[in-house]
């Protein structure tokens, strides 16, 4: 079951593409956009993350940290980040496989992958926006931007 607006966001610590551990607890005090995606290098995921890269200032100018999370290993994430010039951390929920995605209700157990889910966590650690898309559905990022604007208001 996915998280809802108002729920406390589950804490996590995951390695990024450079094997540096990123912890949600350490980011407390600032909003964080969590973008779960199935696989590095897949067409739809690449398109979504490249759009996020191109529009990153919408989030960073509002003080929002952006973290993308998949069940890919760190080595794949490093290659993906380099190939697409992504400038935000790509976190690996590889092992234990999908534990963080499961905690957020963003894991497809049968396929062993994260689903397309997005959560905006406010500065106090509560979910301010939650969206879980069906497999294969590309996300419309206008909802994320509206949620970020709502935090700033």
């Amino acid at each position: 079951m996915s998280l809802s607006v108002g729920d406390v966001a589950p804490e996590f610590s995951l390695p990024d593409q450079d094997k540096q551990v990123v912890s949600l607890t350490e980011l407390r005090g600032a909003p964080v956009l969590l973008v779960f995606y199935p696989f590095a290098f897949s067409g739809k995921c690449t398109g979504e993350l490249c759009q996020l890269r191109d529009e990153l200032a919408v989030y960073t100018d509002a003080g929002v940290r952006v973290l993308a999370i998949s069940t890919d290993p760190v080595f794949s994430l490093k290659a993906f980040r380099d190939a697409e010039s992504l400038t935000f951390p790509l976190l690996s929920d590889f092992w234990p496989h999908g534990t963080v995605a499961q905690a957020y209700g963003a894991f497809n157990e049968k396929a062993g992958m994260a689903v397309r889910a997005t959560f905006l966590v406010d500065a106090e650690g509560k979910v301010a926006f939650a969206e879980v898309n069906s497999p294969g559905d590309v996300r419309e990022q206008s909802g994320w931007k509206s949620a970020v604007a709502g935090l700033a208001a």
Side-chain angles (χ1 to χ4, degrees):
M1 183 171 199
S2 180
L3 296 176
S4 299
V5 171
D7 289 346
V8 173
E11 297 295 334
F12 63 81
S13 294
L14 291 173
D16 70 8
Q17 70 286 334
D18 297 317
K19 300 181 189 175
Q20 300 301 308
V21 175
V22 176
S23 170
L24 188 60
T25 303
E26 292 172 1
L27 300 176
R28 185 79 69 240
V32 180
L33 184 70
L34 303 175
V35 181
F36 289 88
Y37 64 100
F39 297 113
F41 294 106
S42 62
K44 290 177 184 172
C45 295
T46 299
E48 286 182 340
L49 294 184
C50 286
Q51 179 184 353
L52 185 56
R53 173 201 64 207
D54 295 345
E55 299 173 0
L56 190 61
V58 170
Y59 306 100
T60 57
D61 288 354
V64 176
R65 293 284 310 265
V66 174
L67 303 174
I69 304 171
S70 75
T71 55
D72 293 304
V74 292
F75 306 106
S76 295
L77 297 179
K78 174 87 169 155
F80 185 46
R81 185 173 192 207
D82 292 347
E84 299 301 334
S85 301
L86 301 173
T87 55
F88 45 86
L90 304 180
L91 305 185
S92 175
D93 192 15
F94 182 72
W95 197 257
H97 196 70
T99 301
V100 174
Q102 289 173 40
Y104 279 79
F107 189 71
N108 181 323
E109 188 98 19
K110 191 173 184 179
M113 65 182 191
V115 297
R116 292 181 205 296
T118 311
F119 300 93
L120 179 61
V121 179
D122 69 17
E124 288 77 44
K126 292 192 176 179
V127 176
F129 173 85
E131 173 186 64
V132 178
N133 289 53
S134 298
D137 287 350
V138 176
R139 291 174 272 203
E140 172 55 53
Q141 297 181 18
S142 61
W144 313 354
K145 293 173 188 167
S146 293
V148 167
L151 281 183

